[in-house]
Amino acid sequence: MSSPHDSVLDALLYPFAEGLLHWPQAAPVLFLRGREGAALHGLPHAALVATQSFKPEAARLERIGITLLDEEALPAHHYPLVLVLPPRQREEARALLAKACRAVAADGVVVAAVSNDEGAKSREADLKHLAGNVSTLSKYHCRVFWTRPQAAWEAAHIAQWAQADAPRRQPCAELPAGAFHTRPGVFAWDRVDAASRMLANVLPATLRGRVADLGAGWGYLSMQVLARCPHVTALDVYEADARALALAQRNLADARVPVHCHWQDVERGVSERFDAIVCNPPFHALGRGDRPDIGRAFIAAASAALKSGGRLWLVANRHLPYEDALGSGFAQVRSVAQDGGFKIIEAVKA
């Protein structure tokens, strides 16, 4: 299967293709939040290591032989070249750029690329703040910018920004603990997502047995299932973002039932079987735009994972075309509520 077009990755590697930058002879090269794509295939994978917290992208990198590292435990001043694809969220992006500057060798180069409509100019200004002057060019509706050898690194700012996305507690009166563990960059990191709240408010207290939360984020729906449904006896949490999953694990650390956390791409299915599933499925992927097919894949995974008579409780944006997927996977489907652009559906497995 051919790799999907990725203009940001193309822009990131454009200076190397044009001879403006040179791939170092000494390995390894570090790729922060690396993604697989056609532009990457011509490079020596044996000389490349990467970090990636999003399971589908991590799996693609591993399939082409790239070793994955823990982003929180990178050696300092080690890599002659660090490639970075900063995310959209400001604090998370600043922390990633700071980690890149801390990981690069004193005479090494940090190269970053960002789409123009995702804050490219701001991220370029951030790298200048950490490393002084940078070189830049525009390509493929993106900006790619890089530090100069022997850059004047701002050590104090690097140390400060490296903690910009550190986990913290966020007050939340509607949760039993009065707060939740979170960090910038995960979905709905500083609030309760309105769609998830709407689903939680209609969950029946009669849910029982083993329950799964597909695409759990930092764990809000899982926490509400345990608070509202006293007959639930076990909980499985599935999340593709490792950063969010670690938070969910902390938020559910004192759960009254056994909790199993899975860093997993639900699109590929789940192997366990459940009495009920709750789900607020994502409908986008990294750098890929809207993807309603992901929600349909979640519905198919839920149908396969439910026991006979098991129930799926799902919330989604009202306009998303999920009815065909629900109709083909479940014996009974009913609309429970529609409000504020969202719809809640209960579906029963045959």
Side-chain angles (χ1 to χ4, degrees):
M1 180 183 295
S2 61
S3 300
H5 179 67
D6 190 333
S7 59
V8 183
L9 180 61
D10 292 345
L12 180 72
L13 298 176
Y14 182 79
F16 299 95
E18 294 298 306
L20 300 173
L21 290 171
H22 300 285
W23 201 259
Q25 296 297 315
V29 170
L30 175 63
F31 192 178
L32 295 179
R33 303 294 172 89
R35 297 205 294 256
E36 185 271 341
L40 201 64
H41 289 179
L43 299 174
H45 296 163
L48 194 62
V49 296
T51 71
Q52 178 52 261
S53 59
F54 188 54
K55 183 63 173 183
E57 299 289 353
R60 292 185 185 102
L61 290 171
E62 289 185 314
R63 281 197 292 270
I64 62 173
I66 293 176
T67 300
L68 296 180
L69 303 179
D70 180 359
E71 193 172 279
E72 308 299 331
L74 297 170
H77 314 304
H78 182 71
Y79 300 94
L81 172 64
V82 179
L83 307 173
V84 195
L85 292 177
R88 180 192 293 265
Q89 206 280 332
R90 184 182 67 176
E91 287 82 1
E92 185 187 11
R94 285 180 168 180
L96 195 66
L97 288 171
K99 290 170 186 175
C101 293
R102 192 165 58 187
V104 74
D107 57 349
V109 174
V110 174
V111 187
V114 181
S115 173
N116 288 338
D117 60 3
E118 293 194 351
K121 288 186 177 180
S122 295
R123 300 292 80 78
E124 180 185 349
D126 287 342
L127 188 57
K128 286 181 180 178
H129 184 75
L130 298 175
N133 291 330
V134 300
S135 300
T136 184
L137 59 84
S138 296
K139 194 69 177 177
Y140 310 126
H141 304 288
C142 304
R143 293 175 79 86
V144 53
F145 38 95
W146 60 92
T147 63
R148 300 177 181 180
Q150 302 295 339
W153 306 108
E154 292 286 346
H157 291 148
I158 290 171
Q160 179 183 5
W161 278 13
Q163 298 301 313
D165 71 336
R168 75 278 316 261
R169 282 176 63 83
Q170 178 77 15
C172 182
E174 67 189 84
L175 290 174
F180 59 92
H181 295 280
T182 187
R183 68 188 302 182
V186 303
F187 176 69
W189 75 272
D190 58 351
R191 66 191 188 282
V192 172
D193 172 62
S196 294
R197 177 187 285 116
M198 183 177 168
L199 176 55
N201 286 336
V202 298
L203 286 177
T206 54
L207 284 187
R208 63 181 60 249
R210 188 174 183 183
V211 176
D213 183 353
L214 304 186
W218 52 258
Y220 170 78
L221 273 177
S222 291
M223 298 166 77
Q224 292 287 21
V225 164
L226 295 182
R228 295 168 181 263
C229 308
H231 304 294
V232 170
T233 57
L235 182 67
D236 285 67
V237 177
Y238 290 84
E239 174 53 50
D241 180 359
R243 299 169 78 251
L245 185 65
L247 295 167
Q249 192 164 20
R250 291 183 67 180
N251 286 325
L252 294 163
D254 297 325
R256 60 175 177 80
V257 303
V259 175
H260 306 281
C261 292
H262 309 267
W263 184 40
Q264 189 164 326
D265 179 6
V266 172
E267 287 188 84
R268 301 179 68 86
V270 300
S271 59
E272 305 297 329
R273 294 294 175 263
F274 302 100
D275 300 290
I277 291 175
V278 297
C279 185
N280 179 3
F283 58 94
H284 61 85
L286 297 185
R288 303 287 191 262
D290 284 357
R291 292 275 307 280
D293 58 297
I294 296 177
R296 290 192 288 268
F298 269 57
I299 291 168
S303 174
L306 281 168
K307 299 175 184 177
S308 178
R311 282 169 158 74
L312 168 67
W313 283 82
L314 176 141
V315 63
N317 287 43
R318 191 182 298 183
H319 71 278
L320 291 173
Y322 291 160
E323 280 67 24
D324 286 348
L326 288 160
S328 63
F330 293 88
Q332 302 174 40
V333 178
R334 73 181 182 100
S335 176
V336 176
Q338 296 192 38
D339 186 44
F342 304 116
K343 57 188 174 185
I344 294 177
I345 295 170
E346 181 195 22
V348 182
K349 178 76 174 287

